[in-house]
Amino acid sequence: MLRYTSPDGQQSLILDDDGKTGYAYLLDEKGKVTADCWLYNRNAAPVENEWKFSKNMPFANSAEYVKPEYSGGFNPPTSDGELSVGWIEQGAELFIRDRLLARLVAGSKPGWSRLAAKDGPLALLLSD
């Protein structure tokens, strides 16, 4: 789990990878989650939606919501140097290997992920 704090100290971005999936959480200055977003599945995307059963949390995104080129899994960063955060009004943008991966804006649940094939319950489609 990694934590990045905005320059003004008003927001933090937490990256959580449990070995199955990666998620990002935007927190306000009191530590309340104001936005969240699925980032990736480490393994092949399941055919069935996992969110039907809370025991599956955190949920892997199902194949219908994952871009085909990432449905077999995503190669997550291996070092902190592959990650960077850009702070935007009311939120943050997460970059992996200098490529925009996700955008979180306070009040957006879910946020936007580059790996999402379409809007779904875990992430919205991030387009250029």
Side-chain angles (χ1 to χ4, degrees):
M1 189 177 301
L2 295 172
R3 183 184 192 116
Y4 298 88
T5 302
S6 64
D8 64 6
Q10 298 297 304
Q11 299 181 94
S12 296
L13 183 70
I14 294 195
L15 305 178
D16 187 13
D17 182 326
D18 69 346
K20 173 183 159 185
T21 63
Y23 276 84
Y25 303 94
L26 185 67
L27 286 67
D28 65 15
E29 67 278 358
K30 296 177 184 174
K32 179 184 174 195
V33 175
T34 61
D36 57 52
C37 186
W38 166 85
L39 301 175
Y40 53 80
N41 297 335
R42 279 185 169 252
N43 301 309
V47 175
E48 295 289 323
N49 298 329
E50 286 194 341
W51 52 84
K52 294 177 182 177
F53 305 102
S54 62
K55 69 178 176 71
N56 293 326
M57 290 178 70
F59 306 121
N61 215 350
S62 61
E64 77 175 288
Y65 294 102
V66 178
K67 286 186 177 173
E69 61 265 38
Y70 299 109
S71 63
F74 178 74
N75 184 19
T78 57
S79 72
D80 296 354
E82 293 182 291
L83 299 165
S84 61
V85 175
W87 297 98
I88 58 174
E89 187 173 336
Q90 299 294 316
E93 293 182 324
L94 172 65
F95 296 83
I96 294 182
R97 299 176 196 101
D98 297 322
R99 184 157 189 231
L100 178 61
L101 179 70
R103 180 176 297 124
L104 289 91
V105 175
S108 66
K109 291 186 179 183
W112 295 262
S113 173
R114 171 122 5 243
L115 277 57
K118 64 181 183 177
D119 292 349
L122 305 181
L124 302 175
L125 174 64
L126 177 61
S127 57
D128 294 321

